Amino acid sequence: MTRPAHDIYRTRDTPSHGKSLFRDGNIPADERYLHLEHKRKRRQAFITGFVVLLVASLLIVVSVQQYLLHSTTFYDPPPAPPANAPAPAPQTTTSARSLMTHLALDADAQTRLLLEEIEAQSVGEAEIGEGDKPLHAHWIKEAAYYLLRAERARGAGDEALALESYEKALRIYPDLRGVYATLGMLYMDRAEYEAAAAALERATLEEALSFGIVNNLGVAYLQLEQWDRAEEYLQHALRLRPDYAAAHFNLATLYVRQGSPEKAADHFETFLRMDPEHLNALLVYSSILMQNDEWARAADFLQRAAQLSPESPPIYFRLAQSLAQSERPADAIRTLHQAVELVDARNALAWMSQSEFDRLRHNPEFQQLVEYLVAAK
């Protein structure tokens, strides 16, 4: 009996019905199994490769980060300059003038060690000579020595040594920045106004104009009685900062010395709004008001002055004059009694003989006070 040929793929027995996982529904089951197994291995290989690639990428990133962490120099950013600090001048060269800029000095223990270390190497004033020195380590150390010594002298209150040291540093490097403004203030403290003006003028050429430097220049020229230049600088200080109290006071002082009390009055009013307890301003401004016959306003400012200086006889006598002229006789007599207690009888009678007390001559209390003082002479 003849056997039918054996078909290993069983194509003849493959059912034609049912849903196939392949587009060709007639693929044998064994072949379909092999195809699925191959597809699963390909997917697994793809996932494994992707994971390996991801791990490798992470390792590279971590390695780069570690390299950067160990090779980069970390530093604290420099502090921001104060809001009112002058802008640094642009530097276009690398000469000694451009490199030796403003030095922030602190005469602490480390500074003192530096001073002691380089002091022995100092050449002294006789060998410094004139003219800008080259940017050499020797001269830089010399200039640093004198600058540090100047700062230490200022801290100790030795203005003479500070001036001498700053001047020696400037003989080495005449264009040192940040020195002339300080030098000018030292000269101002010593009432050497010509030298102060020269130093401050130099400071204005090196730094952006600040209201402080401009005001100080105005004061220097005010003391030198160079009125026009003083007014120019003081007005400029107010343009830079309209609410700068010191400039208002200095301008008022300038106008008083020039004999222009009307101009002075406006600046005194502005100043006293900002500094209502400035005794000198109160006294000068009240004198201007008295000259302008503004007696009531003068009395208000003199009462504030009396509270600040309760042992000053002139303030009480002037206040009594203002009260008398303001038609306040009772307050004027009471103030006169306070003034009389602070001076001798002769001095009190001299004050009371002034014309500002004429309105009180017929006042019985005033007459009794005069009789008492005459008897006490």
Side-chain angles (χ1 to χ4, degrees):
M1 178 174 161
T2 305
R3 286 178 139 183
H6 182 65
D7 185 359
I8 64 173
Y9 296 106
R10 304 186 57 156
T11 56
R12 294 183 179 89
D13 296 333
T14 303
S16 60
H17 63 277
K19 187 174 180 180
S20 174
L21 296 175
F22 300 90
R23 292 180 182 178
D24 187 357
N26 296 322
I27 297 178
D30 292 342
E31 185 177 352
R32 187 164 62 246
Y33 171 79
L34 293 174
H35 185 81
L36 289 172
E37 184 69 11
H38 178 68
K39 188 173 181 181
R40 184 183 64 78
K41 289 182 178 180
R42 285 179 59 191
R43 184 167 60 248
Q44 186 176 3
F46 173 79
I47 293 172
T48 303
F50 177 79
V51 171
V52 171
L53 179 62
L54 180 61
V55 172
S57 300
L58 290 174
L59 288 174
I60 292 172
V61 171
V62 171
S63 299
V64 171
Q65 289 177 340
Q66 291 298 318
Y67 171 77
L68 292 176
L69 286 172
H70 288 87
S71 62
T72 303
T73 302
F74 288 88
Y75 62 95
D76 293 327
N84 60 343
Q91 301 295 333
T92 57
T93 67
T94 56
S95 65
R97 297 181 181 183
S98 64
L99 294 176
M100 297 296 293
T101 54
H102 175 74
L103 299 176
L105 304 174
D106 182 15
D108 53 11
Q110 188 173 4
T111 298
R112 289 193 292 271
L113 289 175
L114 176 60
L115 280 170
E116 294 171 0
E117 179 183 348
I118 65 178
E119 185 171 13
Q121 305 174 20
S122 178
V123 299
E125 183 179 5
E127 298 183 31
I128 292 177
E130 300 295 337
D132 199 358
K133 302 298 182 293
L135 188 61
H136 187 277
H138 170 75
W139 291 114
I140 292 175
K141 289 168 67 176
E142 285 290 309
Y145 166 72
Y146 288 120
L147 287 173
L148 293 170
R149 190 175 74 170
E151 291 294 308
R152 187 169 65 173
R154 282 184 64 202
D158 191 345
E159 293 184 353
L161 181 59
L163 277 172
E164 175 192 342
S165 301
Y166 279 129
E167 288 169 351
K168 286 183 177 180
L170 289 171
R171 289 184 63 188
I172 297 172
Y173 292 119
D175 290 330
L176 274 173
R177 298 193 175 186
V179 175
Y180 285 100
T182 303
L183 195 64
M185 291 309 301
L186 287 171
Y187 281 126
M188 291 281 286
D189 292 340
R190 295 165 63 90
E192 299 180 31
Y193 299 115
E194 289 187 6
L200 292 170
E201 288 279 12
R202 181 65 179 266
T204 63
L205 298 177
E206 296 178 349
E207 306 176 20
L209 281 181
S210 67
F211 58 85
I213 291 179
V214 176
N215 173 75
N216 294 337
L217 257 173
V219 173
Y221 287 123
L222 173 61
Q223 299 294 352
L224 293 171
E225 298 186 357
Q226 297 185 28
W227 310 124
D228 292 341
R229 302 192 74 177
E231 183 178 14
E232 176 187 353
Y233 279 113
L234 293 172
Q235 290 284 9
H236 189 53
L238 288 179
R239 285 193 294 271
L240 292 172
R241 183 173 176 178
D243 62 344
Y244 188 29
H248 283 289
F249 179 83
N250 294 329
L251 262 176
T253 302
L254 169 67
Y255 292 137
V256 167
R257 293 188 185 182
Q258 282 186 306
S260 302
E262 297 79 8
K263 290 183 178 180
D266 293 336
H267 291 285
F268 271 129
E269 283 189 10
T270 303
F271 173 77
L272 286 170
R273 282 196 293 269
M274 293 183 278
D275 190 356
E277 296 186 352
H278 194 284
L279 182 60
N280 191 23
L282 288 169
L283 295 177
V284 177
Y285 185 44
S286 62
S287 296
I288 293 174
L289 294 173
M290 292 170 71
Q291 292 174 21
N292 295 334
D293 293 332
E294 298 183 53
W295 299 104
R297 294 192 63 205
D300 292 338
F301 287 101
L302 286 167
Q303 283 175 335
R304 285 159 57 178
Q307 292 174 354
L308 294 172
S309 182
E311 302 297 325
S312 176
I315 294 178
Y316 286 104
F317 280 113
R318 290 181 180 178
L319 175 57
Q321 291 174 339
S322 300
L323 293 170
Q325 294 291 326
S326 302
E327 304 294 341
R328 296 169 60 183
D331 292 332
I333 296 295
R334 185 176 62 254
T335 304
L336 268 177
H337 279 283
Q338 291 177 288
V340 165
E341 292 178 358
L342 298 173
V343 296
D344 57 60
R346 189 180 301 276
N347 200 348
L349 287 170
W351 273 100
M352 294 173 66
S353 65
Q354 296 179 12
S355 61
E356 287 81 5
F357 289 109
D358 287 349
R359 296 192 178 189
L360 298 179
R361 301 289 176 205
H362 301 291
N363 186 295
E365 292 185 58
F366 184 85
Q367 293 175 350
Q368 290 176 5
L369 183 58
V370 171
E371 292 174 0
Y372 166 78
L373 293 171
V374 170
K377 261 196 320 185

